[in-house]
Amino acid sequence: MEGRYMRHSQPGPVDTTSSPRAALKTLPFTDVSLLGGFWANRQKVNRDSSLKHGYEMLKEVGTHQNFLLAAGKKSGTWSGHRSRDSDLYKWLEAVAYELATRPDGELQEMADEAIELIVSTQAEDGYINTYYQHLAPDKRWSDIEFGHELYMAGHLIQAAIAHRRATGKDDLLQVARRFADYIGSVFGPDKHKVVPGHPEIEMALIELSRETNDECYLDLAEFFIDQRGYNTLGNRFYGSWYYPDHVPVREASKIEGHAVRALYLVAGVTDAYMETGEESLLHALETQWSDMTRRKMYITGGVGSRHHGESFGDEYELPNDRSYCETCAAIASIMWNWRMLLVTGEGCYADIIERTLYNGFLSGVSIDGKKFFYLNPLLSSGDFERSKWFGCACCPPNVMRLMSSMQHYIATGDENGMQLHQYIPSRIESIRDHKHIALSVDTNYPWEGLVRITIEDSHGGPWSLSTRIPEWCDKPSLRVNGKTKEPGTTKGYAVVNRKWAKGDTLEVEMPMEPRFTVSHPKVYANRGNVAIERGPLVYCLEQADHDASVNILDVEIDTSASLETEWHDDILGGVMVIKARGDSVDYGPWEDEIYRTLANGQSKRRPIHLTAVPFHAWANRGKGVMRVWISGAEIP
Amino acid sequence: MEGRYMRHSQPGPVDTTSSPRAALKTLPFTDVSLLGGFWANRQKVNRDSSLKHGYEMLKEVGTHQNFLLAAGKKSGTWSGHRSRDSDLYKWLEAVAYELATRPDGELQEMADEAIELIVSTQAEDGYINTYYQHLAPDKRWSDIEFGHELYMAGHLIQAAIAHRRATGKDDLLQVARRFADYIGSVFGPDKHKVVPGHPEIEMALIELSRETNDECYLDLAEFFIDQRGYNTLGNRFYGSWYYPDHVPVREASKIEGHAVRALYLVAGVTDAYMETGEESLLHALETQWSDMTRRKMYITGGVGSRHHGESFGDEYELPNDRSYCETCAAIASIMWNWRMLLVTGEGCYADIIERTLYNGFLSGVSIDGKKFFYLNPLLSSGDFERSKWFGCACCPPNVMRLMSSMQHYIATGDENGMQLHQYIPSRIESIRDHKHIALSVDTNYPWEGLVRITIEDSHGGPWSLSTRIPEWCDKPSLRVNGKTKEPGTTKGYAVVNRKWAKGDTLEVEMPMEPRFTVSHPKVYANRGNVAIERGPLVYCLEQADHDASVNILDVEIDTSASLETEWHDDILGGVMVIKARGDSVDYGPWEDEIYRTLANGQSKRRPIHLTAVPFHAWANRGKGVMRVWISGAEIP
């Protein structure tokens, strides 16, 4: 069905324009342009440094070589984790988004080389996996739990879709489709039945269905989803909870297991709901979302409390020193929340995206774009720092693909108009039913809370401009063409419906007073502690801002003193710093004991000034002690 | 060398009478008799209930059946964990100690049946392991990491030594020795080289060497010890740190890895030192001991902070809700500290034994002796309780063998006299160099701090009576025949050297004021928290002692108010209860959020009385909320 396959496709990771149960419709990625500011700077670093660094690393550690080996173009030793092929796929997806935005000869050449490598590696029957092709050609699908074959197929498919949407070229998509068709010939209701050991292919197949308009891929994704939850995985290492495979998808009420697996799965299930509208899926998704965001999410948006199995913990189990918070899990949470937002139009999902983007995700990459965190703890005793790459390097290229597709997450359209989810300086266009809308967003967010939206084109009829009022903002104000308007919110959005005309403005003002935050009393790790937040940013104390006479792990903050802000152009690429007051506490010598009878006079206190910086920027001045939660007071 | 083999042996788990580097010499187990009181009651429950319950459980879950299968006396399915044989061995060791103390027809019959089972299972060449014998006869030693063959050999040897020392019978010891000889024919410097996946056989072989006076067993133990630390284990599941096999034994400075493995290992290494006197071993042991007791030990004496790998955590990583604290690890710590005490004569080791016995070990068994904890967390949200047995049932019979050998840990002798390590009502005799000493200890310890020691027999010459002054006691007083004496301490002991005569008394008075305890400021889990202790006992708050209007997780204790003690005959078999004052805090509704901006008036406080009970007794009134560390104040 070449005709259906060649339909108009929309650049970007997700295209919900034809999804029956998507309340919000994604906009063409290329119709959103970043116009400087916080994220444009980060995206530039990603393009100029991270992507090129990434390609070098892929070559250096042997990811390329694995493809050359599998393609029979070289002899040597296959190396790495069995998921390694996917590092190249995610990197390629990121490059595709960049190429959709602007030409870049160097990136284009790298991408062409990578695609050529992939094309030449694919087996006759469509299969690609350098490990099995090179080392164990007769063992395909023999290790569904840890072989990562279906997981990597998913990443190949996503990269191929991104590349086709970006360039219009079909070469990589044909490779991906041949692999998907081959997978469909092996697995299915009347064929081999398995549960993918690492979810990912579900999202990818459904997007492939959207891209090709071929429902067979949706059917295959649904088959994999329906198989899950009957304890067929988990007999070797962890239990079935890890995959997760212990509860059928429709009955799941808790978010459990390996965080990235669990979140890629629910993201795929959300995609399935958008296509099928099966209410039991949505109900299970909403219940799991509540479990995650109300009981298992760090203040940074980071998720996955346990090193053991890189997994979610129990309710309120959120240790700070041992928080795992894999960067990929933050990205997976953003992917899931984005899909939930598209389904429901509820601002609470965009709130979680914002919290995660500015904190638990962004901490994953250094300011220079060349070093990465795999884990993102909320407390460091000083021996933790970013690495330029990893043996299992899932996180760095995952950061790259999200960074290079930032445009995708800013706004959506629907029958009634346009919704602005993230405040990022940009120009946004939309054509729906031949009606043209264009607007520009001007703001110094996240450093300042004023957002000015100017209508640049409008089709003349009335339409609604919806702007999210973040959950952290309790006193927003709204001005339409300079005149104050009551900002009543619907689903977390201030909605202004009028006949918008070119030159009209909507201003949203969100006061950004720094604030102390406390956590649920059952989060034992945070008892008697407060965090500092300002706007969407979580702050931390970093040793680098304090002199050697102060150990920031031994300070108490004075929550009755006010917090002051100061712009510092000279550190961390320019940040708003928050000044606080507190005590430095000297607990005396403790080398020889761990427990001691309580007595007065064991500690000495002296008043000091404390300096807090955005959590996402920590560890950019060497490794050093850091804490988000600061001893202060019990909830008053 | 039958003659040497048949030398006089001393009942009890460890016999250091001939060990060149043991500063203290163990006493014959049977020369120490418990005379009522705290531990005698527990030992009676162990004998009358636990041991019989244990034998029933061994039959019920299939441990017996596995032996019958391996012996070819029955057909059926082998079941359980591959370490299951050792449950029977540890149970048998416990029974042997009881039979050494007093005849018991029923236990005797059970023991005879068990021994008959073991004898008939042993292969021609000496090998015993029901799993491999029944299921995989050609796979012996193929899985050194998790096969547990050498580990179980160790437990068989310990049980056999205990049985011979208790009864004088050789049947089980011959079985064990044949197995040990077979192991020696397989492994060794010029033979197969392996590192046992779970240490245990090292201790056992050295004790076998002491029992038989045959150095080949010591040599074999040393061979296993010397092999360790070169990363030969750990390629499949965990890393080599787990076993531990990442640092050579003489270079180890940190206590790391799976807690029981790490501690059985150092216990075995301590035995090796006692025989060889190699100083590099002792240095490594002392360094690891400091690391454990100053940085990685819970206030209960429990060790092993992590669920992941049942392992030690980082320095000061001591979470309360997720504390692992396996009962076996507490027992292993006691075994190691006992050996360190024998080597050095330093009271600090007996202090750790005391702390662990009364708290982290004793919590492992219910008051009725029929339910057991595998984990011993310091905080429970209410869904944790003891079980009658486990799939991997290492802990229950380990509790039984320690409980039934309690006499062993009370006192020792040396050239100069007798050392009293644990205050337990008892009669203790010692004959060294044909010089007879006998004394009785009368005390209501741990409820009261007065200990009265009466000399019942003395050889006439001067000798030293050394009594430990516990680390928790800072104001001890001493009276010799009623006259106060300055209690200067040597190595943690008050030493009184005189010509003791029959009827002489030494009274030690250790004031038992309840006290608040704080922990090292780097233990983040305990910041702003205090614990309550009295004498050797750690206390906890248990929901059962508070009415429903108080949630003990939401209370703050007033550390400026005094703590009051009250004897309660009617609960928990009779305990000293501690009353405190504090506030019950109502944090209001939090269902829908996990983070909230700090504001005054979010909580309501009302003064209440708090009741603390000994930690070891918790969860004997149904499961319920419990906490050891109580929100109170930062270190003042």
Side-chain angles (χ1 to χ4, degrees):
Chain A
M1 302 280 284
E2 193 65 4
R4 289 170 66 199
Y5 172 45
M6 293 303 291
R7 78 187 179 98
H8 170 75
S9 64
Q10 190 191 66
V14 179
D15 178 355
T16 62
T17 44
S18 306
S19 300
R21 293 303 177 105
L24 306 182
K25 303 303 178 185
T26 50
L27 298 178
F29 179 80
T30 40
D31 287 355
V32 180
S33 317
L34 300 194
L35 302 174
F38 188 88
W39 287 107
N41 290 343
R42 290 291 192 152
Q43 199 177 60
K44 185 173 186 327
V45 170
N46 186 58
R47 181 176 62 246
D48 295 345
S49 295
S50 305
L51 288 173
K52 287 157 193 177
H53 165 78
Y55 204 61
E56 277 168 32
M57 293 307 304
L58 290 168
K59 290 198 161 176
E60 187 176 315
V61 302
T63 313
H64 271 71
Q65 160 147 323
N66 288 346
F67 278 91
L68 291 170
L69 294 171
K73 292 186 168 180
K74 201 179 166 184
S75 61
T77 307
W78 192 95
S79 70
H81 189 272
R82 274 189 288 170
S83 68
R84 184 168 269 187
D85 295 357
S86 62
D87 302 342
L88 181 73
Y89 300 148
K90 281 190 281 190
W91 173 89
L92 190 54
E93 184 182 341
V95 171
Y97 298 132
E98 283 301 335
L99 296 178
T101 308
R102 64 183 66 72
D104 183 309
E106 197 181 349
L107 287 178
Q108 182 70 58
E109 221 168 280
M110 291 173 176
D112 289 346
E113 186 183 46
I115 291 169
E116 160 61 24
L117 209 55
I118 296 164
V119 168
S120 64
T121 302
Q122 186 164 41
E124 277 299 304
D125 58 6
Y127 181 86
I128 313 184
N129 180 299
T130 68
Y131 173 85
Y132 286 102
Q133 286 178 275
H134 184 66
L135 290 181
D138 57 339
K139 295 266 198 255
R140 282 186 195 179
W141 319 121
S142 65
D143 184 5
I144 287 293
E145 288 190 26
F146 276 90
H148 285 87
E149 292 154 286
L150 295 170
Y151 166 84
M152 298 212 285
H155 279 301
L156 172 58
I157 293 166
Q158 288 181 330
I161 294 168
H163 190 256
R164 181 183 186 264
R165 288 176 178 174
T167 63
K169 291 189 212 157
D170 271 346
D171 47 354
L172 194 61
L173 191 70
Q174 279 174 17
V175 169
R177 204 174 178 183
R178 282 179 59 210
F179 194 6
D181 289 341
Y182 167 67
I183 291 167
S185 77
V186 176
F187 302 104
D190 305 322
K191 301 162 198 164
H192 193 31
K193 291 183 187 180
V194 296
V195 179
H198 194 316
E200 156 65 24
I201 196 167
E202 301 81 357
M203 265 188 284
L205 286 171
I206 296 173
E207 205 61 39
L208 185 61
S209 174
R210 290 174 184 144
E211 180 63 13
T212 60
N213 210 15
D214 189 337
E215 289 209 344
C216 75
Y217 305 119
L218 172 61
D219 293 344
L220 186 56
E222 287 189 275
F223 163 74
F224 285 132
I225 289 170
D226 293 347
Q227 291 295 303
R228 189 173 289 273
Y230 299 94
N231 301 293
T232 59
L233 302 178
N235 297 313
R236 277 194 319 176
F237 297 101
Y238 302 98
S240 57
W241 61 270
Y242 171 83
Y243 294 89
D245 187 36
H246 59 308
V247 180
V249 165
R250 289 162 185 80
E251 293 165 26
S253 61
K254 296 177 182 173
I255 194 89
E256 291 174 317
H258 182 265
V260 179
R261 283 175 166 80
L263 291 171
Y264 280 8
L265 174 63
V266 286
V269 172
T270 312
D271 275 322
Y273 173 79
M274 281 196 268
E275 304 308 315
T276 67
E278 190 192 332
E279 289 303 321
S280 61
L281 293 178
L282 183 60
H283 177 74
L285 291 165
E286 287 176 337
T287 314
Q288 289 173 86
W289 186 85
S290 289
D291 188 47
M292 178 174 94
T293 58
R294 293 174 184 177
R295 294 186 276 276
K296 297 177 180 173
M297 186 184 74
Y298 284 90
I299 190 172
T300 58
V303 286
S305 303
R306 290 188 189 166
H307 284 236
H308 180 56
E310 303 181 316
S311 70
F312 283 101
D314 290 333
E315 294 185 357
Y316 306 111
E317 180 191 335
L318 295 163
N320 292 308
D321 48 345
R322 294 281 297 169
S323 43
Y324 200 78
C325 291
E326 184 179 338
T327 304
C328 281
I331 293 167
S333 172
I334 291 169
M335 291 164 73
W336 180 33
N337 275 285
W338 177 240
R339 286 161 175 76
M340 291 297 282
L341 174 61
L342 294 172
V343 165
T344 63
E346 295 278 358
C348 57
Y349 301 106
D351 285 340
I352 301 293
I353 292 175
E354 178 180 87
R355 180 177 288 280
T356 311
L357 272 180
Y358 284 97
N359 303 291
F361 158 69
L362 191 54
S363 58
V365 56
S366 63
I367 292 172
D368 71 4
K370 292 183 176 179
K371 293 181 111 183
F372 304 88
F373 275 148
Y374 194 111
L375 279 63
N376 294 269
L378 278 75
L379 184 152
S380 169
S381 299
D383 50 4
F384 199 72
E385 62 184 332
R386 294 184 185 82
S387 301
K388 63 177 187 172
W389 210 248
F390 302 94
C392 173
C394 48
C395 299
N398 223 355
V399 168
M400 295 173 201
R401 67 178 183 149
L402 179 56
M403 201 68 92
S404 65
S405 61
M406 198 59 67
Q407 291 91 319
H408 184 61
Y409 302 92
I410 296 176
T412 53
D414 71 359
E415 316 298 313
N416 307 313
M418 194 184 283
Q419 301 83 38
L420 195 60
H421 306 296
Q422 302 300 334
Y423 295 118
I424 298 178
S426 52
R427 187 176 190 282
I428 306 168
E429 288 190 76
S430 164
I431 302 173
R432 280 187 65 82
D433 304 327
H434 308 288
K435 292 178 182 170
H436 189 245
I437 292 174
L439 51 80
S440 64
V441 178
D442 184 23
T443 181
N444 193 24
Y445 205 85
W447 308 120
E448 293 171 23
L450 176 64
V451 178
R452 186 187 173 91
I453 304 162
T454 306
I455 307 301
E456 304 219 327
D457 199 357
S458 182
H459 51 65
W463 56 276
S464 295
L465 178 55
S466 303
T467 61
R468 183 174 58 92
I469 305 301
E471 44 93 22
W472 56 262
C473 174
D474 54 3
K475 290 197 189 76
S477 52
L478 226 65
R479 289 184 293 276
V480 178
N481 293 333
K483 281 178 62 178
T484 300
K485 189 182 177 306
E486 203 49 51
T489 59
T490 304
K491 292 183 164 188
Y493 291 78
V495 183
V496 182
N497 184 284
R498 66 195 308 265
K499 285 192 180 176
W500 291 102
K502 182 172 175 174
D504 280 355
T505 61
L506 173 64
E507 285 171 307
V508 189
E509 176 106 48
M510 295 162 282
M512 281 199 176
E513 296 308 315
R515 59 193 191 274
F516 288 112
T517 302
V518 289
S519 60
H520 195 295
K522 286 191 180 168
V523 182
Y524 303 121
N526 297 344
R527 279 280 179 109
N529 283 251
V530 296
I532 297 172
E533 293 185 282
R534 180 176 182 271
L537 298 180
V538 174
Y539 276 70
C540 67
L541 299 183
E542 203 178 7
Q543 193 64 45
D545 299 298
H546 301 83
D547 67 53
S549 72
V550 175
N551 175 351
I552 60 158
L553 295 179
D554 292 339
V555 299
E556 290 174 19
I557 200 161
D558 179 357
T559 55
S560 66
S562 63
L563 295 167
E564 310 290 342
T565 53
E566 273 177 20
W567 178 257
H568 281 241
D569 224 16
D570 54 334
I571 58 165
L572 302 169
V575 288
M576 193 72 81
V577 154
I578 298 178
K579 297 281 188 180
R581 286 175 174 276
D583 282 339
S584 172
V585 190
D586 177 358
Y587 294 104
W590 271 86
E591 289 72 32
D592 294 345
E593 55 194 337
I594 185 167
Y595 304 108
R596 183 185 284 181
T597 299
L598 181 77
N600 283 319
Q602 287 178 329
S603 64
K604 287 183 200 137
R605 281 166 166 70
R606 65 184 167 91
I608 54 163
H609 288 90
L610 293 167
T611 300
V613 294
F615 169 76
H616 67 244
W618 88 275
N620 275 288
R621 294 171 289 182
K623 51 188 176 180
V625 175
M626 182 279 295
R627 70 195 289 196
V628 170
W629 291 96
I630 311 162
S631 312
E634 297 292 328
I635 298 168
Chain B
M1 302 279 284
E2 192 67 2
R4 290 171 66 198
Y5 172 44
M6 293 303 289
R7 78 186 177 99
H8 170 75
S9 63
Q10 188 191 68
V14 179
D15 179 354
T16 62
T17 43
S18 307
S19 301
R21 295 302 176 106
L24 306 182
K25 304 301 180 188
T26 48
L27 298 179
F29 180 81
T30 41
D31 286 354
V32 181
S33 316
L34 300 195
L35 301 175
F38 189 87
W39 287 107
N41 289 341
R42 291 292 192 152
Q43 199 177 61
K44 184 172 187 326
V45 169
N46 186 58
R47 180 175 63 247
D48 294 345
S49 295
S50 305
L51 288 172
K52 288 156 193 178
H53 164 78
Y55 205 60
E56 277 168 32
M57 292 308 305
L58 290 167
K59 291 199 159 175
E60 186 176 315
V61 302
T63 313
H64 270 71
Q65 159 145 322
N66 288 346
F67 278 91
L68 291 171
L69 294 171
K73 293 186 168 178
K74 200 178 165 186
S75 61
T77 307
W78 192 96
S79 70
H81 188 272
R82 273 189 289 169
S83 68
R84 184 167 269 184
D85 295 358
S86 62
D87 303 341
L88 182 73
Y89 300 148
K90 281 189 282 189
W91 173 89
L92 190 54
E93 183 181 343
V95 171
Y97 298 131
E98 283 301 334
L99 296 178
T101 309
R102 63 182 68 70
D104 183 310
E106 196 179 349
L107 286 178
Q108 184 70 59
E109 220 169 278
M110 290 174 179
D112 290 346
E113 185 182 48
I115 291 168
E116 159 63 21
L117 208 54
I118 296 165
V119 168
S120 64
T121 301
Q122 186 164 42
E124 278 298 308
D125 57 7
Y127 181 85
I128 312 184
N129 179 301
T130 68
Y131 173 85
Y132 285 102
Q133 287 178 275
H134 184 65
L135 289 181
D138 57 340
K139 296 265 198 258
R140 280 186 196 179
W141 318 120
S142 65
D143 183 5
I144 286 294
E145 289 191 26
F146 276 90
H148 285 87
E149 290 154 289
L150 294 170
Y151 166 86
M152 297 211 287
H155 279 301
L156 171 58
I157 293 166
Q158 288 182 330
I161 294 169
H163 189 255
R164 180 184 188 265
R165 288 178 178 174
T167 63
K169 290 191 213 157
D170 269 347
D171 45 356
L172 194 60
L173 191 70
Q174 280 175 15
V175 169
R177 204 175 177 183
R178 283 181 58 211
F179 195 4
D181 291 340
Y182 168 66
I183 291 168
S185 76
V186 175
F187 302 103
D190 305 321
K191 301 165 196 163
H192 193 31
K193 291 183 187 180
V194 297
V195 180
H198 194 315
E200 155 65 25
I201 194 166
E202 300 82 357
M203 265 187 285
L205 286 170
I206 296 173
E207 204 60 41
L208 186 60
S209 174
R210 292 176 183 143
E211 180 62 14
T212 62
N213 211 14
D214 189 336
E215 289 209 347
C216 74
Y217 305 120
L218 172 62
D219 294 343
L220 187 56
E222 288 189 274
F223 163 75
F224 285 133
I225 288 170
D226 294 346
Q227 291 295 303
R228 189 172 289 273
Y230 300 95
N231 300 294
T232 59
L233 302 178
N235 297 313
R236 278 194 319 176
F237 297 102
Y238 302 98
S240 56
W241 61 271
Y242 171 83
Y243 293 88
D245 186 36
H246 60 308
V247 181
V249 165
R250 288 160 184 81
E251 295 165 27
S253 61
K254 295 177 183 173
I255 192 90
E256 291 174 317
H258 182 265
V260 178
R261 282 174 166 80
L263 293 171
Y264 279 9
L265 174 63
V266 286
V269 173
T270 312
D271 275 322
Y273 174 80
M274 281 196 269
E275 303 310 315
T276 68
E278 189 191 333
E279 288 303 322
S280 61
L281 293 179
L282 183 61
H283 177 75
L285 291 166
E286 287 175 336
T287 314
Q288 290 174 85
W289 186 84
S290 288
D291 187 48
M292 179 174 94
T293 57
R294 293 174 184 176
R295 295 185 277 275
K296 297 177 178 171
M297 186 185 73
Y298 285 89
I299 191 172
T300 57
V303 286
S305 303
R306 290 189 188 164
H307 283 237
H308 180 56
E310 303 180 317
S311 70
F312 283 101
D314 290 333
E315 293 184 358
Y316 306 112
E317 180 192 335
L318 296 162
N320 293 306
D321 48 344
R322 295 280 296 167
S323 43
Y324 200 77
C325 292
E326 184 179 338
T327 304
C328 282
I331 293 166
S333 171
I334 291 168
M335 291 164 73
W336 181 31
N337 276 286
W338 176 240
R339 286 160 175 78
M340 292 297 283
L341 173 62
L342 295 173
V343 164
T344 63
E346 294 279 357
C348 57
Y349 301 106
D351 285 339
I352 301 293
I353 292 175
E354 177 180 87
R355 181 178 287 280
T356 311
L357 272 180
Y358 284 97
N359 302 291
F361 158 69
L362 191 53
S363 59
V365 56
S366 62
I367 293 173
D368 72 2
K370 293 184 176 179
K371 293 181 111 183
F372 304 87
F373 276 147
Y374 193 111
L375 279 62
N376 294 270
L378 277 75
L379 184 150
S380 169
S381 300
D383 49 4
F384 199 70
E385 61 184 332
R386 294 185 185 81
S387 300
K388 63 179 187 171
W389 209 249
F390 302 95
C392 172
C394 49
C395 299
N398 223 355
V399 168
M400 294 173 203
R401 67 178 183 150
L402 179 55
M403 201 69 91
S404 63
S405 60
M406 197 60 65
Q407 291 90 320
H408 183 62
Y409 302 93
I410 296 176
T412 54
D414 70 1
E415 316 297 314
N416 306 314
M418 195 184 286
Q419 302 81 38
L420 194 59
H421 307 295
Q422 302 299 334
Y423 295 119
I424 298 178
S426 52
R427 188 176 190 282
I428 306 169
E429 288 191 77
S430 164
I431 301 174
R432 281 187 64 83
D433 304 326
H434 308 286
K435 292 179 185 168
H436 190 245
I437 293 173
L439 50 81
S440 63
V441 179
D442 183 25
T443 179
N444 192 26
Y445 206 85
W447 307 122
E448 293 169 24
L450 176 64
V451 178
R452 186 187 172 91
I453 303 162
T454 307
I455 307 301
E456 305 219 328
D457 199 358
S458 183
H459 51 66
W463 56 276
S464 295
L465 178 55
S466 304
T467 61
R468 182 174 58 92
I469 304 302
E471 42 94 23
W472 57 261
C473 174
D474 54 3
K475 291 196 189 76
S477 53
L478 225 64
R479 289 184 292 275
V480 178
N481 292 332
K483 280 178 63 181
T484 299
K485 188 182 179 306
E486 204 48 53
T489 60
T490 304
K491 292 184 164 190
Y493 291 78
V495 183
V496 181
N497 185 287
R498 67 197 306 268
K499 286 192 180 177
W500 291 102
K502 183 173 175 172
D504 281 353
T505 61
L506 173 65
E507 286 171 306
V508 190
E509 175 106 50
M510 296 161 281
M512 282 200 177
E513 295 308 315
R515 59 194 191 272
F516 288 112
T517 302
V518 288
S519 58
H520 195 294
K522 285 191 180 169
V523 182
Y524 303 122
N526 297 344
R527 279 281 178 107
N529 283 252
V530 296
I532 297 172
E533 293 185 281
R534 180 175 182 272
L537 298 180
V538 174
Y539 277 70
C540 67
L541 298 183
E542 203 178 7
Q543 193 63 47
D545 298 300
H546 300 84
D547 68 52
S549 72
V550 174
N551 175 351
I552 60 158
L553 295 178
D554 292 339
V555 300
E556 290 173 19
I557 200 162
D558 180 356
T559 55
S560 66
S562 63
L563 295 167
E564 309 291 341
T565 52
E566 272 177 22
W567 178 258
H568 281 242
D569 224 16
D570 54 333
I571 59 165
L572 301 168
V575 288
M576 194 70 81
V577 155
I578 298 178
K579 297 282 188 180
R581 288 176 172 274
D583 282 339
S584 171
V585 190
D586 176 0
Y587 294 104
W590 271 86
E591 289 72 32
D592 294 344
E593 54 194 338
I594 184 166
Y595 305 108
R596 184 186 283 181
T597 299
L598 181 76
N600 284 318
Q602 287 178 330
S603 64
K604 286 183 202 141
R605 282 167 165 69
R606 66 184 168 89
I608 53 163
H609 288 90
L610 292 167
T611 300
V613 295
F615 169 76
H616 67 244
W618 88 276
N620 276 287
R621 293 171 290 181
K623 51 188 174 181
V625 175
M626 181 280 295
R627 69 195 288 195
V628 170
W629 291 96
I630 311 164
S631 312
E634 295 294 327
I635 298 168

